[in-house]
Amino acid sequence: MGIAEGLVAWPDELAKRYREQGYWNGMALGHYLWRSAELFGEKEALTDGERRLSYQQLAALSDGLALGLAERGYRSGDCMVVQLPNCWEFVVLLFACARIGVIPIMALPGHRSHEVSYFVEHSGARAIAVADEIKGFDHQGMAREIARGSNAVQDVFVLGENVRTGSVDLGKLIVSPRDVNGVRHRLDEMGPCSDSVALFLLSGGTTGLPKLIPRSHDDYGYNFRQSAEVCGFDERTVYLVSLPASHNFPLACPGLLGVLYAGGRVVMARSPEPENCLNLIGKERVTVASAVPAVAQRWLEAKIQKPHYDLSSLEIIQVGGARMAPELASRVRPVLGCTLQQVFGMAEGLINYTSLDASEEVICETQGKPMSPADEVLIVDDHDVPVPDGEMGQLLTRGPYTLRGYFNAPEHNARSFTAEGWYRTGDVVRWHSSGNLVVEGRTKDLINRAGEKVSAEEVENLLYRLPSVAQVAAIAIPDKNLGERTCAVVVMKNGASNLTLAEVRSAMEGFGVAKYKFPDQLELVESLPTTNVGKIDKALLRSKFS
Ligand code: OOB
């Protein structure tokens, strides 16, 4: 079965308008790569440790890999779960997929078999691409196990030293073709339509399992082009990727794709650790870095403790993914010596940026304005009626780069979109007098743990697998380092013996769940309080255990 059945398209009239007005320019992501190679040729595009690739090399290597994949039978519309650390091969693989229309599913390095097997099943993926290991975890072993249990998976592509028999060595497929131009033209013929799905991002998730977010070449191209424009990216930009590159933020807001479009240079960091990143900023003369608030806070602390870090090249730090306390925001310029740009975005689409030349008040206290003139924003009450200007309400949005439906999820779509196609973001916001949005809270039931979104329902479902658990509520508790941490409030079954946090966490590990979803705190109670409509009163629990 192809993936077309699971997609929700923009209405024809609107699609036509987005094309006519140039938001959608008809270019597939692979064309962006060659466009940049023509414009910036020998200029350095990508830095990963000692490895440095020019635009021309990046394009040639991506084509080499695309050809290798095509020769193994991969075609437009096939899905591949991609789970790699931040490295140059990640970028090459992404473009190789784009060249032949293979659709990567952008898994995070932290995901484990619970998540990866679900992505495989849900998309019918024909391949999984992983590193041999990351931080001691055997990704290759995990991927092979999942592949064994699937009828669809044909190959496990492995990057690293230790490629076992039966896996395909991804590194060996990354070679420049001898006849670069010939291959380029052959691949052009195999290129996907610009309105087809370029990649699947993962939803922050408010349901039991994460949803797949289809992003088309047209809409994603616009996402990073417009972002690069708004953020002033150009050939001088040197951008540090420190968050996992599969996240929309470092990928396309403007992210590495926006940098490569603008002719700048992408510097890959393996992790957001302050020591590593602050050294890289100095060494590579980084001009723009992006971070979640929890990471930005650690960078600030590190710079205060060790003032010798040379951050003189840094012009902008973009911070988003979770609420940034105004107090932290106000320390950015004095400590790091650069401009803060708040980014309020979502993998589903809508991105808001504070202007680089906005007042200190706007930069510190708002989350920016929608980046596109074609973004539509409504702030509504519980009955979907718009609230008076300046008042808080739920944010609904539509636009040329905001999805119309999750992949293969009709029931969930009926709840997440209005009949007129507005996406219900689940965020509670208001307009600031400056015309920027302020994020005040949310209606969706998740824990925003250092920018990673943890679905309360998913954690609860997992905990119900424990024999001693009668009832459970997962709630977000304010945390000074993470922003929020996950607390599981549990009612034990009659006669069950004690349960500890360590036991809960080790059970989660046994289920093969990503570690960032493990509860950080456990509270045992006699019963869970309910509201007058009979729902668990999470607000009350939150105030009790904060
Ligand atoms: C980004 O994307 P997701 O999909 O991981 O999470 C989206 C959600 C938003 O709906 C909102 O609840 C929260 O994360 N969020 C923020 C925020 N940025 C995102 N809440 C408060 N302040 C902010 N600045 O997180 C994402 C995607 C692209 C760019 C930046 C972030």
Side-chain angles (χ1 to χ4, degrees), residues 293-357:
V295 165
Q297 185 179 330
R298 294 182 63 206
W299 289 4
L300 255 80
E301 282 160 9
K303 174 67 181 163
I304 291 167
Q305 273 172 16
K306 295 191 188 162
H308 73 267
Y309 288 119
D310 174 10
L311 306 184
S312 57
S313 59
L314 196 62
E315 293 166 14
I316 306 168
I317 179 167
Q318 302 184 298
V319 179
R323 178 177 182 276
M324 184 178 208
E327 194 276 326
L328 175 63
S330 68
R331 285 165 55 214
V332 166
R333 194 186 291 281
V335 176
L336 300 180
C338 65
T339 301
L340 168 67
Q341 180 171 50
Q342 292 214 39
V343 186
F344 163 42
M346 52 206 74
E348 284 81 357
L350 180 70
I351 309 290
N352 306 273
Y353 295 101
T354 54
S355 310
L356 296 172
D357 58 2

Side-chain angles (χ1 to χ4, degrees), residues 202-204 213 247-250 253 292-293 319-324 342-353 367 423 425-427 439 441-442 444 446 448 451-453:
L202 305 174
S203 77
I213 299 168
H247 275 307
N248 192 29
F249 186 13
C253 306
V292 293
V319 179
R323 178 177 182 276
M324 184 178 208
Q342 292 214 39
V343 186
F344 163 42
M346 52 206 74
E348 284 81 357
L350 180 70
I351 309 290
N352 306 273
Y353 295 101
Q367 279 65 55
Y423 168 57
T425 64
D427 291 313
V439 182
R442 59 177 180 255
K444 51 191 171 189
L446 55 76
N448 191 333
E452 294 296 357
K453 313 309 182 300

Side-chain angles (χ1 to χ4, degrees), residues 377-381 385-393 395 429-438 440:
V377 163
L378 272 182
I379 304 180
V380 301
D381 65 16
V385 178
V387 299
D389 204 23
E391 286 186 19
M392 278 197 302
L395 172 64
V429 303
R430 65 177 166 86
W431 286 112
H432 186 260
S433 55
S434 60
N436 289 272
L437 288 168
V438 178
E440 294 281 1

Side-chain angles (χ1 to χ4, degrees), residues 401-457:
Y401 63 102
T402 294
L403 88 174
R404 289 291 170 140
Y406 294 99
F407 175 63
N408 236 346
E411 281 167 31
H412 186 63
N413 286 341
R415 287 192 298 275
S416 299
F417 296 84
T418 71
E420 292 76 38
W422 294 88
Y423 168 57
R424 299 180 188 278
T425 64
D427 291 313
V428 174
V429 303
R430 65 177 166 86
W431 286 112
H432 186 260
S433 55
S434 60
N436 289 272
L437 288 168
V438 178
V439 182
E440 294 281 1
R442 59 177 180 255
T443 55
K444 51 191 171 189
D445 194 8
L446 55 76
I447 299 105
N448 191 333
R449 189 181 185 279
E452 294 296 357
K453 313 309 182 300
V454 180
S455 149
E457 185 184 327

Side-chain angles (χ1 to χ4, degrees), residues 38 47 49 57 62 85 110 156 166 200 214 216 258 289 291 322 346-347 392 416 421 429 437 458 520:
E38 275 164 12
T47 311
Q57 285 171 320
S62 300
V156 173
F200 280 115
S216 71
M346 52 206 74
M392 278 197 302
S416 299
V429 303
L437 288 168
E458 184 176 17
D520 303 291

